[in-house]
Amino acid sequence: QVRLVESGGGLVQPGGSLRLSCAASGSIRRIGTMGWYRQAPEKQRELVATISSGGNTDYADFAKGRFAISRDNAKNSVYLQMNSLKPDDTAVYYCHAALTRWDFVAGDYWGQGTQVTVSS
């Protein structure tokens, strides 16, 4: 089995920062692209940022210049540094990984989500 576990969410004031972490564990042969998505109340889940196994990154327009995605392949982990947070960033943030298990089954895996609330 494979698990993705996020941490680092919480309550922060506007203009503040948070760092999200996500660690993948289990029967993992290889991890490809990892990423962060978010879902605000009554809205669809949307892409925040992705990072390939080689370190190429892609960001949603709202994340450019404020958020930074990184990964540690040795730890099967991905991170999201969020700066200059705004109330509109309030959402549940989900970690995603496209990976191949040791039984050669490939698929998309999601974490359980971590709440980020930006409020004064």
Side-chain angles (χ1 to χ4, degrees):
Q1 293 185 353
V2 173
R3 291 183 65 201
L4 271 63
V5 179
E6 301 112 331
S7 61
L11 174 64
V12 63
Q13 292 186 344
S17 298
L18 281 176
R19 185 173 187 254
L20 306 183
S21 299
C22 172
S25 63
S27 180
I28 299 171
R29 178 180 177 87
R30 179 185 176 277
I31 302 179
T33 297
M34 302 184 80
W36 291 94
Y37 293 73
R38 71 183 189 182
Q39 187 167 17
E42 301 182 357
K43 291 187 177 181
Q44 290 188 335
R45 190 174 297 189
E46 61 180 349
L47 169 71
V48 177
T50 61
I51 183 167
S52 70
S53 58
N56 294 319
T57 59
D58 188 30
Y59 293 92
D61 286 344
F62 64 80
K64 292 177 181 177
R66 298 191 299 130
F67 295 0
I69 190 170
S70 60
R71 66 189 285 171
D72 184 334
N73 291 331
K75 296 181 179 180
N76 288 341
S77 295
V78 63
Y79 310 96
L80 185 68
Q81 177 67 41
M82 303 187 293
N83 301 322
S84 302
L85 284 162
K86 306 174 182 179
D88 284 349
D89 295 318
T90 296
V92 177
Y93 284 71
Y94 295 91
C95 172
H96 169 266
L99 59 86
T100 303
R101 302 186 324 211
W102 280 109
D103 59 2
F104 297 95
V105 173
D108 293 308
Y109 290 82
W110 295 88
Q112 81 285 356
T114 185
Q115 177 70 45
V116 172
T117 302
V118 184
S119 175
S120 55

